[in-house]
Amino acid sequence: MKTFVIAALCCLAFLSDAKPKKEKWIQLFNGKNLKNWTVKIHHHEVGDNYGNTFRAEDGMIKVRYDQYDHFNERYGHLYFNKPFSNYILRLQYRFTGLWRNDAPIYTERNSGVMFHSQDPRTMPKEQDWPISVEMQFLGMLADGKPRPTGNMCSPGTDVVYQGRIDPRHCINSSSETYENERWITAELIVRGDSLVTHKINGKTVLEYSQPQIGGGVANRYNPALKLDGQLLKSGFIALQSEGQEIDFRNIEILDLSKQ
């Protein structure tokens, strides 16, 4: 009997340990203000939120241009102040109506989230894009042609796709084309400098690996930071503004570094 009781207790202890631990998602946006976030906009010093481009309103982070006189290539990014390496980032976005038609044509219904980015404090005033990898968000245009979202773009970086470094600046995902004004859920699963997975509305739409410094597109950066071939194991996360109004909400992260 004693042996049976001991065995039963050991079994219960094992089952207790085997229970999945509750996931601890961290809210990156407090729903009220931009505390713990830093702005960097092209032509402006770090911290200068020109024209109130990024604003916290109605429980969302909004990108707006109603205080701009002209766009002038003011590509902007809003950085969370802590870098991450292994994680799942989840957020929702929606494109709203206004696109600045003095912005480049490719920016219409176009935005994204940057990751493994350089620290914004290392960016000169005239650097346009951060050295980073982007999960690109696209919306439907008036022509109604297919336009997937959750793509990969690579300012100042390269990735390995289908077994080789892909020379393209952007790689399209397999997602559907979504109408504007609709909330879309995007998930980014990042495993340091190994595998990266993009999900849209719960479906895997793109995978690639070995994000690293390289390639072009980013301009007027500090050349000491552009170490081509260096794998990117961690970096900052940033929401993008490039001429199209967009809203972000429910921005949360699950740290996988101890898993």
Side-chain angles (χ1 to χ4, degrees):
M1 182 67 179
K2 183 177 180 182
T3 302
F4 173 79
V5 171
I6 293 173
L9 290 173
C10 289
C11 183
L12 288 172
F14 173 78
L15 291 174
S16 177
D17 290 341
K19 287 182 180 179
K21 294 181 179 179
K22 187 176 181 180
E23 295 180 338
K24 294 183 179 179
W25 287 86
I26 301 169
Q27 298 296 319
L28 299 186
F29 172 52
N30 63 18
K32 300 176 182 179
N33 53 49
L34 299 182
K35 182 181 179 181
N36 297 322
W37 296 80
T38 297
V39 177
K40 175 64 180 75
I41 297 175
H42 186 211
H43 302 317
H44 298 269
E45 300 290 353
V46 64
D48 181 0
N49 189 13
Y50 173 83
N52 196 24
T53 303
F54 296 96
R55 55 190 75 168
E57 294 178 346
D58 306 318
M60 298 176 278
I61 293 179
K62 298 181 178 181
V63 173
R64 297 292 185 268
Y65 304 98
D66 52 352
Q67 297 179 29
Y68 278 49
D69 52 357
H70 58 293
F71 187 67
N72 192 29
E73 296 187 332
R74 288 187 174 97
Y75 309 118
H77 298 86
L78 178 67
Y79 297 80
F80 190 72
N81 288 342
K82 176 184 175 182
F84 294 93
S85 179
N86 292 275
Y87 57 89
I88 302 174
L89 175 71
R90 185 164 61 200
L91 58 81
Q92 292 182 303
Y93 73 88
R94 69 176 178 187
F95 289 111
T96 62
L98 180 63
W99 166 65
R100 286 205 61 98
N101 59 14
D102 59 347
I105 186 66
Y106 68 84
T107 64
E108 185 176 7
R109 302 294 189 272
N110 187 343
S111 189
V113 57
M114 324 303 280
F115 66 98
H116 277 0
S117 173
Q118 69 182 105
D119 189 322
R121 293 167 294 185
T122 67
M123 294 176 64
K125 181 178 177 180
E126 294 303 323
Q127 182 175 343
D128 48 3
W129 307 100
I131 297 171
S132 58
V133 186
E134 176 187 0
M135 184 179 186
Q136 181 193 53
F137 304 144
L138 297 179
M140 182 182 290
L141 296 178
D143 59 16
K145 293 181 179 179
R147 201 168 187 237
T149 189
N151 310 313
M152 188 289 305
C153 293
S154 54
T157 54
D158 286 316
V159 302
V160 172
Y161 179 65
Q162 296 183 342
R164 65 185 181 89
I165 291 180
D166 197 300
R168 292 174 290 177
H169 170 52
C170 293
I171 301 173
N172 281 348
S173 80
S174 61
S175 86
E176 302 173 34
T177 301
Y178 293 97
E179 297 178 358
N180 302 301
E181 308 290 343
R182 173 181 175 181
W183 285 106
I184 307 297
T185 299
E187 286 182 76
L188 178 67
I189 305 172
V190 181
R191 285 294 190 174
D193 60 2
S194 57
L195 183 65
V196 179
T197 303
H198 293 192
K199 289 186 174 184
I200 295 293
N201 288 343
K203 296 181 180 179
T204 296
V205 296
L206 184 64
E207 286 190 322
Y208 51 91
S209 63
Q210 298 179 50
Q212 58 193 271
I213 297 176
V217 180
N219 298 288
R220 296 174 294 280
Y221 47 78
N222 178 352
L225 300 180
K226 186 74 161 49
L227 304 175
D228 288 359
Q230 177 177 297
L231 291 172
L232 291 170
K233 297 182 179 182
S234 64
F236 291 82
I237 292 167
L239 307 176
Q240 189 178 77
S241 69
E242 56 178 6
Q244 171 68 54
E245 285 189 353
I246 188 171
D247 297 332
F248 299 97
R249 71 179 185 184
N250 298 329
I251 308 164
E252 56 186 358
I253 197 164
L254 178 64
D255 191 347
L256 303 176
S257 60
K258 296 182 180 179
Q259 296 185 23

